[in-house]
Structures are given as C-alpha cells and as structure tokens.
Amino acid sequence: MNHLTLSTDLITSDILPVISQSKVARQTYLDKRVTKSQRGTKRTRSQRARERLQTKEHLVGLARELHEGELADKLDRCHSRLSVLTCGRHIARIIPNFTCEFRLCPDCSRRRSRKLQNKYLPMMSAFMLHNRVTPVHLVLTQTHRKETRKQSAARIRSSFTKLTRRSFWKDNFKGGTWSLEFTKDKNGLHHTHLHIVGFRRKFFDIHLLRGEWLAVTGDSHVLHLKPILDLAVGLQEVVKYVSKPLDIRRFGAADLKEFLGLKNMRMFGTFGEFRDFCKGFDLSDEAAASDLETLARDLVEGCACPHCDNPLFDLRLSKGELPQFYEQMESSPPGKVGTSWN
Ligand SMILES: [Zn+2]
Ligand SMILES: [Zn+2]
C-alpha cells in the first residue's frame, strides 16, 4: 500500500533549481514552428487543482461505467485527504492519505513526472558538460492511419529506432530522451507524436533531417525542432506528455477500456550514448544537492518556510478544499499570511 507516500507539491516554480543553458547559440536552420500542444496555456495553481479534481471525477465515472469498481474506489480514495505543510502563503509539502498509482490519475502522474525530472535533470546537465552538446526539442510526427493506439505508438517508435541507426543521425545527435504524446482527432484517428530531447553535436540543415525521417517512415517528413534554452523547462515540456498522455476529460468509456489494455506500454525512455551515460551515473553526488523531495522531507511543523521564513504548520484538507486553499494563496497580497485556514 502506498499510505503516506510523499508528494511534494512544491514550490516547483520557486525552489526548483533551474539549470540554465544560456549559451546556446542562435542558428539559422532551426524550424521554430511548434505543435499546438506545445504552446499550452498558463493556468493558476487553483485552476489546475480544480481541473485535476474534475479529471479524477470523470475517470471515476468512466471506471464505474466499465464495472471497474476496484479502480474507481482507488481513484476516489487517492489524494482524498491531504496533510499540507504550509506557512499560510506557501506550500512546502503535501502528504496524501493514499496514492492509487494509476497511470492516468492526474495526481499520481504529476508525482511521476516530477520524479522523472528530478532523476534526469542532473544526468542531462552532466552529460552536456561532459560532451559539449546542446539540447534541442524535436517533435516527430507520422501520417494518420486507421489503427489502435498501441499500433500507432509501435509504428512511430519503430521509425525512430530506424532513424537512430542512420549515419546522419549518429553524426548529429549524441542521444537523449524520448516520450510519447497521444491525441485523437474528430474522426477517431490516433495521432502519436514522439517528443525528443536530443543532444545535438553540431548544427545541421533541417531539410536533411526531414529527408531522413521521410526515408524511415515512408510517408512523413513532418517534424519540428527548436533549441532548448533552459534544460529544466525543456525537460518539463517533454515529460508533461508522460504525466498527461491525453485530454482525459474528453475520454469516453471506450477510451479508458483501450487504455487499460495498454498497461505496460512505455511512455518515456533514453537512447544513444545518453542511455549508457545514465547507467553509469552516480546519482548520489550530483542529485543530492538538487533533490527537493529530500529537502522537503526534512521539513516539519515549526520549521521556517523555505520562501518567507514564517513558521510552517500542518493543515488537514479534503481534496475539494485544496483548490480553495490555492485560491486564497493566490489572492493574498505579498507579505500577508492567510489566517482563515489556521
Ligand atoms: Zn492517484
Ligand atoms: Zn512562506
């Protein structure tokens, strides 16, 4: 059971150590177009918390529809009661009563993507320093066919494997990470994209890469490439698809059923020399300094808030109260501590 699993709702934007790669040179061959999903809109924490609640309720409803009672109960219980360590204006840590670990659960997938970031960011930084490579965000797309989500994912991954075996790719990339993004259009066709943080050895002509992608897919040359100026932000952009594979609120029972059949599909991985580098990387040194979950774990009631030095206190909230609490934090003027939750 996963009682009292630590979930640091931290602070991500404030405390998370941002490792900047500001020295990435501008170059002329880059394709700056981004896919619609990459743009995203900035919502407040309270809005996001509320959306997670709605997503979860929707999932619970679908699970009940499919007579997946156990799944529905687990989702319902997950993060239903929270112990929040807060100064009244900032949240240092949130400990949920229970985590369901279901892949589509918005609360559990957030934790998972944060873990991925904490794990890979130090390795990526070290790899870049070691190899003098620059990171780019590459999005590979494929033509739409009548196929299942599983087939669509297998097709794009197999094309990517072929791509990485070609000499053009090896000359220009030194490995990286990949993650899958799924969408579905109005006609029910699956669109699968592969998001790659690639470590580029040198500049190259994007048209040549398009030609290579067409050569391995047979019918698609569509890809997008943009430089990653801030590795932490770039990685976050890519792992968000792992944490939020689709717009679940538009999911029907049939979609959930299909997803339940995908249980073991990998959504994230490493490739090339970066993969080998990760295997040999000793997390204990470099990650220790940046592991916020460790830092947050040591905080207890009475400790100083990492943001403002005010004392932290423990607040018990039900899941429905969390968005309200965020709202109060968002609306309280700087310096003023909200007291109504005391
Ligand atoms: Zn969950
Ligand atoms: Zn504070």
Side-chain angles (χ1 to χ4, degrees):
M1 281 307 190
N2 301 296
H3 292 276
L4 293 178
T5 305
L6 184 81
S7 164
T8 37
D9 190 347
L10 252 165
I11 318 181
T12 28
S13 55
D14 309 298
I15 289 191
L16 195 71
V18 174
I19 298 164
S20 290
Q21 266 315 108
S22 49
K23 281 189 212 147
V24 179
R26 286 250 163 252
Q27 64 122 328
T28 47
Y29 293 121
L30 280 179
D31 186 335
K32 294 218 172 61
R33 284 180 302 169
V34 289
T35 58
K36 198 173 157 201
S37 54
Q38 276 175 274
R39 274 180 227 126
T41 43
K42 198 87 183 138
R43 287 150 303 140
T44 61
R45 273 188 177 188
S46 56
Q47 282 168 329
R48 280 178 284 157
R50 200 154 273 136
E51 279 173 21
R52 284 198 299 278
L53 266 182
Q54 288 164 354
T55 302
K56 226 151 155 174
E57 276 164 23
H58 182 62
L59 275 175
V60 170
L62 294 178
R64 298 232 184 271
E65 219 176 304
L66 292 174
H67 304 292
E68 295 278 354
E70 201 183 320
L71 175 63
D73 292 343
K74 265 167 64 179
L75 273 162
D76 211 23
R77 232 180 105 208
C78 173
H79 283 66
S80 59
R81 279 173 289 117
L82 308 160
S83 161
V84 180
L85 194 61
T86 176
C87 65
R89 286 194 59 236
H90 309 107
I91 290 179
R93 186 178 62 177
I94 295 182
I95 301 177
N97 59 325
F98 172 75
T99 55
C100 70
E101 305 298 336
F102 181 52
R103 199 185 253 184
L104 295 180
C105 167
D107 289 315
C108 293
S109 51
R110 271 178 92 215
R111 289 181 47 238
R112 222 174 5 247
S113 92
R114 207 159 32 226
K115 272 187 195 162
L116 275 180
Q117 289 178 58
N118 287 345
K119 179 177 172 189
Y120 284 99
L121 197 53
M123 294 200 265
M124 285 178 149
S125 307
F127 185 77
M128 281 164 54
L129 280 175
H130 204 258
N131 293 292
R132 295 169 170 270
V133 282
T134 53
V136 291
H137 182 174
L138 174 65
V139 187
L140 298 170
T141 74
Q142 64 185 0
T143 49
H144 320 136
R145 291 184 196 161
K146 263 206 156 62
E147 58 193 351
T148 63
R149 185 167 283 135
K150 200 171 189 167
Q151 288 164 335
S152 177
R155 179 157 64 97
I156 201 163
R157 282 204 53 202
S158 124
S159 300
F160 179 59
T161 304
K162 284 181 205 154
L163 181 70
T164 57
R165 289 187 185 139
R166 292 171 74 92
S167 57
F168 177 84
W169 181 270
K170 287 183 188 160
D171 286 348
N172 289 292
F173 286 99
K174 215 176 163 65
T177 67
W178 60 264
S179 58
L180 283 171
E181 179 198 6
F182 295 111
T183 55
K184 209 172 179 183
D185 67 17
K186 281 183 227 124
N187 306 316
L189 288 175
H190 295 291
H191 297 215
T192 308
H193 297 159
L194 206 57
H195 288 262
I196 287 152
V197 174
F199 293 110
R200 184 176 54 189
R201 296 175 195 265
K202 56 190 177 189
F203 293 131
F204 56 83
D205 185 341
I206 183 99
H207 297 294
L208 294 177
L209 183 59
R210 288 215 173 92
E212 292 286 311
W213 185 234
L214 180 63
V216 294
T217 56
D219 57 7
S220 177
H221 64 275
V222 181
L223 53 86
H224 313 284
L225 183 76
K226 63 173 184 172
I228 293 176
L229 300 174
D230 182 317
L231 192 58
V233 175
L235 179 61
Q236 198 174 9
E237 208 170 307
V238 168
V239 298
K240 81 178 175 204
Y241 300 108
V242 183
S243 69
K244 198 186 167 198
L246 337 118
D247 186 358
I248 297 159
R249 279 169 303 164
R250 279 168 40 201
F251 242 46
D255 294 303
L256 179 59
K257 195 171 179 185
E258 191 189 7
F259 204 88
L260 290 173
L262 296 180
K263 249 178 200 150
N264 300 315
M265 186 194 279
R266 287 192 64 199
M267 305 280 287
F268 179 90
T270 51
F271 65 88
E273 288 178 43
F274 181 61
R275 179 160 53 189
D276 301 328
F277 182 83
C278 292
K279 282 180 198 152
F281 191 78
D282 184 6
L283 260 179
S284 56
D285 316 332
E286 332 219 357
S290 66
D291 189 353
L292 286 168
E293 308 235 349
T294 307
L295 183 134
R297 207 168 284 155
D298 295 336
L299 293 173
V300 290
E301 205 163 7
C303 282
C305 167
H307 297 276
C308 66
D309 278 348
N310 279 314
L312 294 168
F313 57 91
D314 197 19
L315 193 65
R316 302 293 160 124
L317 298 180
S318 71
K319 59 181 168 187
E321 289 171 325
L322 186 67
Q324 281 167 263
F325 184 63
Y326 280 134
E327 227 156 53
Q328 188 196 306
M329 290 198 304
E330 284 153 12
S331 62
S332 64
K336 196 177 174 213
V337 175
T339 51
S340 62
W341 293 88
N342 258 306

